Amino acid sequence: TGVTKGFRYKMRMVYAHFPINVAIEDNGTKVAIRNFLGEKVVRNVNMLEGVKITRSADVKDELVLEGNSIDNVSLSASQIHHIAKVRNKDIRKFLDGIYVSSSGVMETEDE
């Protein structure tokens, strides 16, 4: 199904106080995450081969990863999730991060 339809992962940005700023660079092959928990450091993630990332047009604070290889798409989503992870704080209180909200096969328009 990967070659004929492709795979899609949707990720949501969750924050309580400081809005997470995500910039998609290099024509959808690189992501820069800024203002995570109010920190000044910029976190960069390079997408793996064949994975494109875009912002969702209809849902606020949502990223869409698409590609033919489920391994590359899921590993890119995992890299984004792990780089925006709360460390050295109580994770019950600090729920900020970028989480996978749905994953599956892309639906084509002609079906």
Side-chain angles (χ1 to χ4, degrees):
T1 52
V3 176
T4 57
K5 294 185 179 178
F7 295 98
R8 175 182 293 144
Y9 271 57
K10 293 184 179 181
M11 302 186 78
R12 295 292 304 262
M13 293 177 275
V14 179
Y15 51 87
H17 187 267
F18 296 105
I20 301 172
N21 185 2
V22 173
I24 298 170
E25 301 168 349
D26 294 339
N27 201 13
T29 59
K30 188 175 178 183
V31 176
I33 301 169
R34 291 180 175 85
N35 202 29
F36 178 68
L37 292 177
E39 296 174 353
K40 297 295 182 188
V41 66
V42 178
R43 295 168 165 85
N44 293 310
V45 179
N46 292 322
M47 296 294 105
L48 295 175
E49 181 182 355
V51 180
K52 287 286 190 182
I53 185 166
T54 57
R55 282 189 175 271
S56 177
D58 52 349
V59 181
K60 181 180 180 276
D61 293 335
E62 185 175 61
L63 301 173
V64 179
L65 284 77
E66 295 176 343
N68 288 338
S69 171
I70 191 168
D71 293 331
N72 288 353
V73 175
S74 61
L75 189 57
S76 296
S78 176
Q79 288 174 344
I80 293 173
H81 172 72
H82 284 290
I83 206 162
K85 197 173 189 181
V86 177
R87 292 175 179 84
N88 302 325
K89 290 184 175 51
D90 188 2
I91 59 171
R92 296 171 295 179
K93 177 69 176 170
F94 293 91
L95 298 173
D96 297 23
I98 303 176
Y99 299 99
V100 174
S101 61
S102 70
S103 63
V105 179
M106 283 193 268
E107 295 86 13
T108 56
E109 290 80 19
D110 56 353
E111 292 182 8

